[in-house]
Each structure stands twice: as structure tokens, then as C-alpha cells.
Amino acid sequence: MSRTNPSLEQLAIGVDIGGTGTKFGIVDRLGNLLYSSEMSTRKHNEVESFIADLHANLVPMIEQAGGIGRIKGIGLGAPNGNYYTGTVEYAPNLPWKGILPFSKMIEDTFKLPVVLTNDANAAALGEMMYGAAQGMNDFIMITLGTGVGSGIVANGKLIYGHDGFAGELGHTIIIPDGRMHEGTGKRGSLESYASATGVRLTALELLANSNTPSVLRNLPQDQIDSKVVYDAAIEGDELAKEIFEYTGKILGMALANFVMFSSPEAIILFGGLTKAGELILKPTREHMEANLIQVFQNKVKILVSHLKASDAAILGASALVWDLK
Amino acid sequence: MSRTNPSLEQLAIGVDIGGTGTKFGIVDRLGNLLYSSEMSTRKHNEVESFIADLHANLVPMIEQAGGIGRIKGIGLGAPNGNYYTGTVEYAPNLPWKGILPFSKMIEDTFKLPVVLTNDANAAALGEMMYGAAQGMNDFIMITLGTGVGSGIVANGKLIYGHDGFAGELGHTIIIPDGRMHEGTGKRGSLESYASATGVRLTALELLANSNTPSVLRNLPQDQIDSKVVYDAAIEGDELAKEIFEYTGKILGMALANFVMFSSPEAIILFGGLTKAGELILKPTREHMEANLIQVFQNKVKILVSHLKASDAAILGASALVWDLK
């Protein structure tokens, strides 16, 4: 590929808005993250001050990259972000409530075209353009963090659905009448089990309902989280291993259903829980295969994202920009 | 639309291959079924004799329609039909076993371009072009017959998945460790409950496990089927109504999961069970809504196909032809 005058190359800004922090950067078409930084989301009680702060942070970065003339636009990934309307709607993990006209506000501040989607969709785009899903037309991205997010690609395109809200796989019901989800009031959703929150709840349940010895019994309840369960499991703690086994069982059942929906070439897992590696991947694979009908068996890859966690979402958000008219 | 010389209009052949019978016809671009007929599938032990019979039936019809020069191609809908490979693979309801190169065989016999997909996908295309899903870019078609089939449209296109087998929603697990599916050996799939077979099994279970009086108790077990349950229910039989209530509950739970996957504008139901009308639709709607998170509530339409059952699949299969190069 010849790049005779790289100074004329267009660049994109990618912004990944999380509940705690916001990461942003400037990316070229090849997915090189040329400049990046981060700032707090949480400390901004008003969305206006958040956007002003983001602007103040990005202006010098834009200058460094050659000025605003080189920037084609801004891609945003945000929890509950809607691609069609450019709004962020009732995001439980953000400090600002209601329906926010996010794209419009950013556009007015930066005087640049803006495109927004939810954070899991942005991550899926990042994987498709620069990560584990390169060259794939059909795959599903599942983010296993505090909650469970998802982005679904079929026929080479993200599925947004008729209203822009498609891909809420974390809220699909896997265990009817199962564990209550505090945020939604629904029982038995994938997110209630296969998230960091879910691992903690499974740990508390197993500690209460079994007599298996475990180092976890030495900790006060409020210190039980997916991190200490992981630490115990790699030390060989049986109960801790059982917690991941159970988590993988539920996740595997859910993945089987997703495969029978869109028959993806691969499922890409991303986020904190994937750090448990084979502790969770082995039962996930086994229970996925056990629930698939024959025609789907032994052909769907379960892959773990190899993009740097802090970069993937920025890259994905920036990737939205290249499709802008 | 001006149609100055209708004799030059191109036409398409649509063929709907079912386990018992095969329906076929010649269709124009507007979805008018100009000629149609049917023949037995089941009496042909060899696929070769089936295809020869289909050819013998279609030749005079083609002549009547103005000759083979007017036919752009043949669209086939068949159980376990694969769009990518043109094969029919291990179809449990067809008399011919193994992997059949169906498209190739039809092409060689008719000397016309052939395109094949599974029967539920064909029905979805029929709905999109000529039925309840006209103008929709995102919808899900569910066929509730002896089994449960599905065709999923997102971004205006059928989802085939990486291998052509997407859309097996009848095999998604709704009740973990639930009812055994004789055909697949898996437990708790939608098809085990929300099909004609499922209704019969639910009836037998409820008859065995309750003391509710019912006219169904007057029938020998082998006469219990979805038809007699329906007849009893519209006469007000409490147990029969409970059977549809339960069927709708499971179906509604499943539909909620499908909505949270692809956020369709509508779910189109088709097939024998829909004849039960509100007996099954009411609990289906209620349980779908009860399992949806807020952002999806009260916006997904559940529609019953209004295409004539015998025409929908032929129309859908013929619709495949217009996309042929």
C-alpha cells in the first residue's frame, strides 16, 4: 500500500464512554491508535461539563494530529447508545439520566460529524476491522464485564434492529424463574450469571449452600468478587473452580441458543471474566456443544479478543466514522 | 407501473417441498400466482423419480405460461435446504436421506438457474415481498407446524449465517433439562413445546398430572392432537384452554429472547397452531412482554400471516429467483 502523503490521510476520533472513565484517541484507517488518553466520566454530574472536559482534552490532541481538517468525524461508543437516534437512553451505569441527545451535543461542541452506537457494538466493529473477527461476515461479540453486552454481525453488518436496540443478549432468559436481576427485575437472564456480578452471586450461593472447604470462606462477604474467586481457582480451590464451571455452563447454554439464531463463524469473548481463561472457557465450550443440534456442532469457534482492552473500544468507535457519508 | 408488453415479462417458478406434498407454481414479479398445482413427495422413494415427476408436472405449465424463455429461474424451499451449497442435508421429514445436491439435480433436469433455501426462509421472503412483512427490514418469521421453523430478516436481508444454517430457533433451549425432543435428543427446546407435536405432549402430560375434568379424557391417547385440543378449547374446555395457555407461555418466553437478539419490528407467525387464534396469541403476547426489558416493551407486533397457506411458500421460493444474477 503506498502512502505518498500521509499528512493528507484522514483520521477519526474514537471515544469509549464507560461508567467510570472515558477513553479517547485518534486513529488512522489502518487502525493505528496515534494518540490516546482518558478522563473521568463519573466525576461529571452534568453531561454538559463532561462534554466540555472531553473537548478541552481533545483540542490539543487534534492539533498534534495535524488540525481539525484531517479529522473525518467522531465515533462514540456508550452504554445504551442508539445508532439511529444518536441518543443515550436511560443508561443505568452513567451519571446522567433520561434520554440524552448525545450525538447532537458533541456535534455542536466539536463542529464535526458524529456517529454513536452502544459500547458492545463498537467493540464488535473494532474486532471486525482490526481484531479477531477480521474477514468474518458472521460473528457475535460478547462482553463479559460488570454486565454482559453484545454486538451481532450478520451478512457483514451490525444488527441494529428496527429501533437500534438489537443485541441485548445479556438480558435473554436462560434459566426461567432463575436468579433475580436487580437492574431489570427479570429472572434468569444471562447477565445475572455470566458477569462479574453474577460470579459474585454464584460464589455467595455456593458458599451458603455447600460445605466444600474453600479459602473464600476466610473472606468477609463484601470482599467476594470475581477477582478473588479467580485467584482462589488458579490456586486449585475446588469451590472456586466450581463457580467458574457453573458460570461456564450457563454461558455455554446461552451461546448455543445464539448460534442456532445466527450461525456465526465465531463468538468473540471480551472483558474481565475472560481473564479466567480455560477455567471458564472449557465448561463454556462443552455446554455450548452439548446444547447444539448436530448441524452446528464442532464448527463454531469461541475466541478471546486479543485487542488491548483499553484500545478495542476506541478503535471500534473510530471505525464507525469511515462509513459516514 | 406501465406494463406495455406483459408477454415479455419474466416469470419465476416457486416450489415448496414438504414431507407429504410438494406445491409449485409460476409467479410474476408482483407476486401473482399465475398457475399452481401440487403432487406427492412421500410416494417417491427415490429423489430421481421425484424430480422426474416434478419436471413432467411443470413442463405443460411452463408452456401455458409462454414457454421456458419467459422463466428466469426456479426457487426451491425445502426442509434443511442450504442456500449456500444448494444441498438438502439430513432432512428428517423427507423420504430421501443424506446430503442431496438438490439444486444441481433440478438445474440439470430443467436447464434453468436454481436457487434453494429452507422452507421457513422461503416463507419469510414470501412475507417480506408479498405478505405481512412488506416494507419491513427487520422481522422474524416463525412457522408453528409439526415442528417449529424460522426465518430471520435483519437489515433487509435473510440471515443465513456463515454456513447457511442460521435460523433454527425451534431448537433453542427454553426450559433447561425440559422435555426431550425425540428427533434431536436435546431437552427443553422450543419445538418440544410450541409445535403440533408439543401441544399433543402437553395435553398428555396435563391429562396425566391433573384431575381437571375434560372432554379430552373421553378420547384414546392416540387421538389426542392439536386439532382435538383446539376443538375442545373453543367449546370452553378448561383443560384444553390450559394447554394453549402453557404453549403460549413457552412461546412468549422464546419470542422475548428472539426480540432481545435482533429487535425485530414484528414477529410473523404462520402454520397450523396459529389457527387457535387468541387462545394461543394472548398468552404468547403476555409472556413475551413479561420477559422483555423495558426498552423493548410494547413495540414488537405479533402478526399472523395472512397469505394463503398453500401460496405463501411458493411465493417465497419464487421470490428467491429475482435476486439471481
Side-chain angles (χ1 to χ4, degrees), chain B residues 281-292:
Chain B
L281 292 177
K282 186 166 177 289
T284 299
R285 266 194 299 267
E286 284 171 4
H287 288 276
M288 180 181 85
E289 293 294 340
N291 284 286
L292 288 173

Side-chain angles (χ1 to χ4, degrees), chain A:
Chain A
M1 199 173 303
S2 90
R3 297 169 64 189
T4 45
N5 193 344
S7 70
L8 295 177
E9 258 194 324
Q10 279 197 303
L11 303 173
I13 293 174
V15 183
D16 174 45
I17 301 169
T20 309
T22 291
K23 293 160 190 155
F24 48 91
I26 298 183
V27 185
D28 69 16
R29 272 191 191 262
L30 301 176
N32 298 307
L33 185 51
L34 306 179
Y35 308 92
S36 68
S37 184
E38 53 190 292
M39 58 179 259
S40 170
T41 309
R42 191 178 286 174
K43 76 168 193 200
H44 293 283
N45 293 323
E46 304 297 329
V47 65
E48 290 78 8
S49 89
F50 169 81
I51 291 174
D53 199 8
L54 181 66
H55 188 245
N57 274 286
L58 267 165
V59 164
M61 199 182 272
I62 292 169
E63 286 312 309
Q64 228 181 329
I68 199 158
R70 289 190 64 191
I71 308 291
K72 183 167 161 62
I74 302 177
L76 300 166
N80 295 41
N82 188 300
Y83 177 75
Y84 291 139
T85 59
T87 52
V88 170
E89 307 199 4
Y90 308 106
N93 301 321
L94 293 180
W96 326 299
K97 300 307 163 201
I99 300 180
L100 306 167
F102 224 89
S103 285
K104 175 90 174 54
M105 296 169 85
I106 301 267
E107 213 167 285
D108 290 348
T109 305
F110 285 80
K111 315 292 180 205
L112 279 169
V114 172
V115 57
L116 172 143
T117 191
N118 81 41
D119 43 355
N121 283 343
L125 278 179
E127 294 295 336
M128 184 160 60
M129 293 196 65
Y130 312 115
Q134 276 182 74
M136 291 186 192
N137 282 317
D138 300 273
F139 70 96
I140 298 176
M141 173 99 200
I142 308 273
T143 63
L144 303 167
T146 314
V148 175
S150 61
I152 304 157
V153 171
N155 292 318
K157 291 196 162 177
L158 267 175
I159 297 188
Y160 287 113
H162 83 290
D163 59 355
F165 287 113
E168 287 292 348
L169 299 184
H171 296 295
T172 59
I173 307 298
I174 310 303
I175 309 288
D177 302 317
R179 190 180 281 168
M180 173 65 85
H181 187 295
E182 296 299 336
T184 65
K186 307 297 176 188
R187 287 191 174 276
S189 66
L190 177 60
E191 182 164 284
S192 304
Y193 299 90
S195 60
T197 320
V199 166
R200 173 178 147 78
L201 293 173
T202 298
L204 295 176
E205 276 180 25
L206 286 180
L207 284 166
N209 300 332
S210 84
N211 294 316
T212 312
S214 169
V215 297
L216 298 174
R217 295 190 189 279
N218 305 330
L219 295 170
Q221 281 207 359
D222 63 0
Q223 284 179 32
I224 303 283
D225 61 20
S226 57
K227 172 79 172 61
V228 299
V229 175
Y230 170 68
D231 291 341
I234 55 168
E235 293 297 322
D237 188 273
E238 286 304 320
L239 192 87
K241 288 197 283 184
E242 200 182 324
I243 293 164
F244 282 115
E245 178 78 29
Y246 181 74
T247 308
K249 176 183 170 173
I250 307 279
L251 179 58
M253 287 169 55
L255 296 189
N257 280 0
F258 306 158
V259 167
M260 294 192 281
F261 196 105
S262 67
S263 199
E265 179 175 346
I267 293 174
I268 322 276
L269 303 179
F270 179 90
L273 279 197
T274 62
K275 291 187 192 133
E278 284 301 306
L279 285 169
I280 189 165
L281 293 177
K282 187 166 177 288
T284 299
R285 264 195 301 268
E286 285 172 3
H287 288 275
M288 179 182 86
E289 293 293 341
N291 284 286
L292 287 173
I293 57 169
Q294 195 177 357
V295 78
F296 298 108
Q297 283 168 10
N298 302 313
K299 55 170 146 169
V300 183
K301 294 175 270 220
I302 297 185
L303 304 174
V304 173
S305 167
H306 54 69
L307 291 177
K308 235 178 80 189
S310 54
D311 295 356
I314 300 177
L315 291 179
S318 77
L320 286 165
V321 171
W322 306 120
D323 282 337
L324 279 171
K325 293 277 164 6

Side-chain angles (χ1 to χ4, degrees), chain B residues 251-263:
Chain B
L251 179 57
M253 287 168 55
L255 296 189
N257 280 359
F258 306 157
V259 167
M260 294 191 282
F261 196 105
S262 66
S263 201

